[in-house]
Amino acid sequence: MIHMLLPLDLFRVSYDVAVGRPYSRLEQLLLRLICDDQGDEGRTFEELRQAFQVHDRLLIEGLVTLLREGWVAMAQSDQEIRYVATAEGLLTTSSGRRPSSLRVQRRQENIVRELMSCQLARQSDLDLVTARDVRRKTNRGARSFALTERQHRKTLNGGETEWLLPRNADEQQWIRRIDSNARLVRGRYYLPLRVDLEKAVVLGLPRTGATSPR
């Protein structure tokens, strides 16, 4: 078994993950109509149908969106369902802003690029060591174990890393923005590898899919 080190560059990628979206023009107008002159009774579905003259499915989808956001509520009057604006819905309309459920979070992820063929991976998927770690454990410099670097580009475009940036699919999160240039973290980083010549296998590489696009 041969032990060796794969040299890496470590980058810190800043990006924004978002949930939700700005609402469509139809949903905006639908909320406004429900808010305007609704009195205490609200609007019936038939009134909305007559006002918009669009397919019922579009109206239903718009109403469901507004109900989920809490801007519209359902009330029953004389055996008929009516749609009334909530206090938050009235505030949204009176503010003059376009209704939106967009929520954005700022995040960072550490991405490594190996210096042989420029493959990328998340740091969290690998067991990395630093040059200091190697010196402490072996009393020898890391370069005596390391493969010779073939790549010397010290920049990383954030767009290259999109497929590696975590997001919660269950919450329908999506990547809204990635900083164009990732920040290089100073220091020498390595991935320890073991090569079994008899079996012709390399041990220590990330699991399948960690360094290839999804």
Side-chain angles (χ1 to χ4, degrees), residues 21-24 27-36 38 62-74 83-95 97-103:
R21 59 180 175 82
Y23 290 143
S24 69
E27 291 161 340
Q28 182 182 11
L29 293 174
L30 184 58
L31 175 61
R32 182 180 299 172
L33 180 61
I34 294 173
C35 290
D36 290 348
Q38 69 169 357
L63 287 169
V64 168
T65 298
L66 298 177
L67 287 165
R68 285 178 176 173
E69 192 62 28
W71 290 336
V72 169
M74 297 172 63
Y83 298 92
V84 297
T86 64
E88 187 174 354
L90 291 169
L91 179 62
T92 298
T93 301
S94 63
S95 68
R97 67 183 177 88
R98 185 179 180 184
S100 173
S101 64
L102 188 65
R103 294 178 290 275

Side-chain angles (χ1 to χ4, degrees), residues 6 8 111-114 117-123 125-126 163-164 191 204-214:
L6 180 64
L8 308 165
I111 301 294
V112 297
R113 181 175 62 199
E114 52 90 1
S117 59
C118 283
Q119 295 295 305
L120 302 176
R122 286 183 292 266
Q123 181 189 9
D125 291 331
L126 307 173
W163 58 278
L164 285 168
L191 176 64
L205 291 172
R207 63 183 181 274
T208 302
T211 56
S212 59
R214 294 171 183 168

